[in-house]
Amino acid sequence: MRSTKATTATSAPATAPRTAARARMRLPRLDGLRGRMVITVIVVALISAVTATALAYRESRDAVLKRAQSAAVDDFRNRVDRLAADLDVPTDPRSMARFATDVSSGLRGALVVAQYRDYTASSDPSADRTRITPELRAAVRTHTRLSLQRVAHGGKSWLVIGAPVRLDSSAHDDSAGQPSGVEIFTVVSLEEEERDAADLVRSVQGGLVPVVLLAAVLALLAARTVLRPVRRLARATRRLATGELSIRVEEKGRDELAELAHTFNETAGALERTVGELREQEALARRFVADVSHELRTPLAAMTMVSSVLEEDADQLTPDTAHAARTVSAETAKLARLVDDLIEISRFDARAVALTVHSVDMAEAVRASLAARGWTDRVEADLPPGIRARLDRRRLDVIVANLVGNALRHGAPPVTVTVRAADEWLTVSVADHGPGLAPEVARHVFDRFYKADSARTRSEGSGLGMAIALENARLHGGTIELAPPAPDTGAVFTLRLPLRTESTS
């Protein structure tokens, strides 16, 4: 008999490969670009290895099962053809049982079931016959050729073969010979073949760990090679950000990293040139202001002297001439103060200032500053006795004069000055009861030449007073702070100085 597949073959579900948890190696904690590169390479290697294992399992299993199936079909066909000549038809249950047993004895003990009309005989009466499916029985009844089917039963794979028995059949043609009405089936175990395929998969899986480890090592080496120029560029960028404009990175190769290094070097060079030009321009501007301020001092001294004489004799002049003389005197005084402020700020820019430190009684120093400007009756002072600090008295006078003068000009009475000492810090607070400072004004109150005309009742002075006060505070190792706005209070400036200030130059 020649075999043909007459029914749809059903395969047992493939045993899944071992979980990836056994194959996945533990990596040290990585972050950033290196971590992503290593993880990506490992995942790709793992997916490739698992895919290759699955494909190998499927192909090897199919090959093994096809080989076992072909051998079983040939054995079954030859055994049935040899014994069919001795089968008497019509037959009886005893003859059917003997026929089934004889066929089974030549098939390595496989289960054989023979059926004739209402009689069914088995080589093993206690065996489970449900493995012979109704589909296969129907195929054997309706076809003249051998039919087979792979089924899964009890967690195992089985090959079930069925064929009609024909008397005087030729080995070359399954449809030749006289029909006997007997149908014969055999159930062959494929457990050994499945075990062979599983052993092959396990051997392949054993190579997953080395593959993943090798991929991790290669990924680390690749990440190190790729990221070394990136780290050099990052270090150079940090140094550039700190002001080291001459920093450059080495350009190697012709890849994207080399192009990035080249772009960084070009940017750093352009930035160095631009900053250099700006610094030169700033230095020239400061020198110009300082030179002009010094050159103005001599003619200003003469103008101040002449305007003072004119102001003293203003009562003897005509009204228009007297008004002009007083105006010239006032404007000359303002110009003199502006020149003095410009000279002072230029000395700070040139770092040509030094502290002359003495032990100073704070109450006495603040009272002297207020009295020298005639502000004693306009300012409420809270000056506890016994507070002494080592500082430059002249520069303290400048700070107090600017803070109090600013409050008197732009705030509202009462203006208060409070001196306190606590926790190794000296504080001098100047407060007014005006409208306070708008947020926009507060951000620029210490900027040079800044005047908030719209936020104050009027704007006078050079716009350098608060900047000079802050520079003097910093020279002492302190600062000036503007308190946050509060209800029913105006602007509150607080000078903070260490109680022990060493002389510096």
Side-chain angles (χ1 to χ4, degrees):
M1 295 186 298
R2 183 174 298 172
S3 65
T4 58
K5 295 182 183 178
T7 62
T8 303
T10 59
S11 301
T15 304
R18 296 290 180 89
T19 58
R22 293 186 57 185
R24 188 177 300 164
M25 60 179 292
R26 289 189 177 182
L27 295 174
R29 182 178 179 182
L30 300 172
D31 54 5
L33 183 59
R34 176 192 294 178
R36 291 195 293 271
M37 289 181 61
V38 172
I39 292 174
T40 300
V41 171
I42 291 176
V43 169
V44 170
L46 191 59
I47 292 175
S48 301
V50 171
T51 303
T53 301
L55 292 175
Y57 172 76
R58 187 186 68 179
E59 295 298 327
S60 62
R61 180 177 181 272
D62 289 345
V64 170
L65 292 180
K66 285 180 181 178
R67 185 168 60 250
Q69 173 181 300
S70 178
V73 167
D74 290 341
D75 291 344
F76 178 69
R77 184 196 318 113
N78 294 334
R79 190 68 178 169
V80 171
D81 289 345
R82 186 179 306 115
L83 296 175
D86 299 331
L87 181 64
D88 295 329
V89 179
T91 185
D92 56 67
R94 180 177 297 179
S95 297
M96 292 276 291
R98 184 173 59 255
F99 179 66
T101 302
D102 291 342
V103 173
S104 175
S105 63
L107 298 178
R108 297 181 300 169
L111 173 66
V112 174
V113 177
Q115 184 173 347
Y116 177 71
R117 296 178 181 175
D118 296 333
Y119 305 143
T120 300
S122 174
S123 62
D124 184 1
S126 63
D128 184 6
R129 301 178 188 178
T130 59
R131 290 170 288 183
I132 305 174
T133 64
E135 293 84 355
L136 183 61
R137 293 180 184 274
V140 171
R141 283 194 300 270
T142 57
H143 294 79
T144 61
R145 299 178 183 273
L146 181 145
S147 302
L148 57 89
Q149 186 179 37
R150 288 205 302 265
V151 299
H153 184 81
K156 298 179 181 180
S157 293
W158 305 87
L159 176 64
V160 184
I161 307 172
V165 178
R166 307 184 75 84
L167 302 177
D168 300 326
S169 62
S170 171
H172 301 285
D173 189 355
D174 292 340
S175 62
Q178 181 181 357
S180 66
V182 178
E183 298 172 357
I184 189 165
F185 302 89
T186 183
V187 180
V188 181
S189 174
L190 296 177
E191 182 178 2
E192 184 177 352
E193 287 74 14
E194 290 283 3
R195 185 166 54 251
D196 292 340
D199 290 340
L200 177 61
V201 171
R202 279 192 292 270
S203 65
V204 174
Q205 285 179 335
L208 286 179
V209 173
V211 168
V212 174
L213 288 175
L214 179 61
V217 172
L218 294 177
L220 287 172
L221 293 176
R224 183 179 179 183
T225 302
V226 172
L227 295 180
R228 186 183 296 115
V230 177
R231 286 193 294 267
R232 286 200 300 265
L233 187 62
R235 288 194 295 268
T237 303
R238 287 192 294 269
R239 293 171 65 181
L240 182 68
T242 59
E244 192 176 344
L245 302 181
S246 61
I247 187 67
R248 299 292 185 272
V249 294
E250 185 179 1
E251 302 176 20
K252 290 184 179 180
R254 298 181 179 179
D255 55 8
E256 290 80 1
L257 292 175
E259 183 179 354
L260 181 61
H262 180 71
T263 303
F264 173 84
N265 291 336
E266 286 186 340
T267 303
L271 181 62
E272 184 179 18
R273 290 189 297 272
T274 302
V275 172
E277 293 174 358
L278 291 175
R279 287 175 176 172
E280 290 179 1
Q281 294 175 4
E282 183 182 9
L284 290 174
R286 289 176 176 176
R287 183 175 178 180
F288 173 77
V289 171
D291 291 344
V292 170
S293 300
H294 281 86
E295 292 298 327
L296 286 176
R297 270 194 161 182
T298 300
L300 267 177
M303 291 172 60
T304 301
M305 181 180 64
V306 172
S307 62
S308 299
V309 172
L310 290 176
E311 187 176 11
E312 290 177 357
D313 296 337
D315 295 338
Q316 302 175 10
L317 303 175
T318 62
D320 291 342
T321 305
H323 176 72
R326 293 189 179 96
T327 301
V328 169
S329 178
E331 295 301 322
T332 302
K334 290 173 61 176
L335 181 59
R337 288 194 299 272
L338 174 60
V339 170
D340 289 340
D341 289 345
L342 288 173
I343 293 175
E344 183 72 6
I345 205 72
S346 65
R347 294 183 66 214
F348 279 110
D349 291 338
R351 291 178 173 79
V353 293
L355 291 176
T356 303
V357 179
H358 300 285
S359 179
V360 176
D361 184 294
M362 290 301 300
E364 178 186 345
V366 172
R367 275 194 292 266
S369 296
L370 299 177
R373 293 162 180 82
W375 293 340
T376 304
D377 295 337
R378 302 174 59 190
V379 177
E380 297 179 1
D382 182 3
L383 309 173
I387 299 179
R388 303 188 66 86
R390 290 186 57 80
L391 45 79
D392 189 321
R393 181 162 182 165
R394 183 184 70 83
R395 297 190 181 279
L396 174 66
D397 177 72
V398 172
I399 298 172
V400 172
N402 277 292
L403 294 180
V404 176
N406 188 70
L408 290 173
R409 286 193 301 271
H410 305 301
V415 175
T416 60
V417 179
T418 305
V419 176
R420 293 288 184 269
D423 299 330
E424 301 299 324
W425 284 94
L426 169 70
T427 60
V428 179
S429 299
V430 178
D432 64 64
H433 288 74
L437 296 177
E440 179 64 25
V441 176
R443 284 194 292 269
H444 302 284
V445 69
F446 293 105
D447 292 351
R448 298 179 183 184
F449 302 106
Y450 180 77
K451 296 182 180 182
D453 293 339
S454 60
R456 299 293 192 170
T457 55
R458 57 195 182 98
S459 178
E460 299 178 359
S462 63
L464 292 171
M466 298 301 290
I468 291 174
L470 181 60
E471 292 291 346
N472 278 296
R474 290 173 175 170
L475 191 62
H476 284 84
T479 186
I480 300 177
E481 301 171 350
L482 174 62
D488 301 327
T489 59
V492 180
F493 289 89
T494 301
L495 168 67
R496 288 175 52 84
L497 300 175
L499 283 175
R500 297 176 183 177
T501 303
E502 299 296 332
S503 178
T504 60
S505 60

